Amino acid sequence: MNCEACDASLIDHAYDELEPEQRRAVTRHLAECAGCAVSYCRLRADLDGALQAAHEAPPVAVRERLRAAVEREFRPTWWRRALAQVRRPVPAYAVVAALVIPAALWFVRESTRDGATAAATAPRVRGYDAAAPPLVDRPIL
């Protein structure tokens, strides 16, 4: 096996995805060629470092700073948020409530206004006592 063929097979060799005879040939070449062995060691170190970095979570402070920076960068402006609120779909019960509530308020207002005008136009009787016997000589005012 030459160095170019070995270099092309190093990643597959690292992930153990080669056929058995091809794997033996790469292993023999790595034992004989110092340059390819160094390349393989660097590749393994890079792969191990990448795997280790993928398993480590950043500290909480770093995540919070990153989250705040992303929110500042991608948060919509106030007028876009207001427009989104206006364009939201309205549930059917909201339409019914928007129609029923003003009608109910109008009905209550009209019913109390009729009662108030009736009481205001009725004549008031002063000095009337229902328990006293009627006096004919005394006029009712």
Side-chain angles (χ1 to χ4, degrees):
M1 176 173 271
N2 61 9
C3 290
E4 289 179 20
C6 181
D7 191 38
S9 305
L10 285 180
I11 291 179
D12 292 334
H13 182 70
Y15 284 113
D16 199 20
E17 295 178 351
L18 293 175
E19 297 293 325
E21 65 259 359
Q22 196 175 11
R23 183 166 179 77
R24 275 186 240 120
V26 171
T27 305
R28 262 189 258 118
H29 182 78
L30 290 175
E32 296 170 357
C33 180
C36 289
V38 169
S39 294
Y40 179 72
C41 288
R42 285 184 182 153
L43 176 67
R44 287 301 305 182
D46 289 344
L47 291 175
D48 291 342
L51 289 175
Q52 184 180 10
H55 291 294
E56 291 179 8
V60 176
V62 172
R63 285 197 331 242
E64 293 299 323
R65 280 194 311 247
L66 183 63
R67 183 175 285 132
V70 168
E71 187 174 319
R72 274 193 313 271
E73 182 72 26
F74 294 104
R75 185 172 187 177
T77 58
W78 66 270
W79 61 273
R80 285 191 187 269
R81 290 192 311 263
L83 184 63
Q85 289 294 328
V86 170
R87 292 174 57 187
R88 289 178 76 182
V90 178
Y93 64 84
V95 174
V96 172
L99 295 174
V100 169
I101 290 175
L105 291 174
W106 177 81
F107 180 73
V108 168
R109 181 173 173 238
E110 289 297 317
S111 65
T112 57
R113 189 167 63 174
D114 289 343
T117 52
T121 58
R124 295 197 174 242
V125 178
R126 296 182 190 164
Y128 176 73
D129 185 10
L135 300 173
V136 180
D137 59 338
R138 195 167 133 190
I140 299 177
L141 297 177

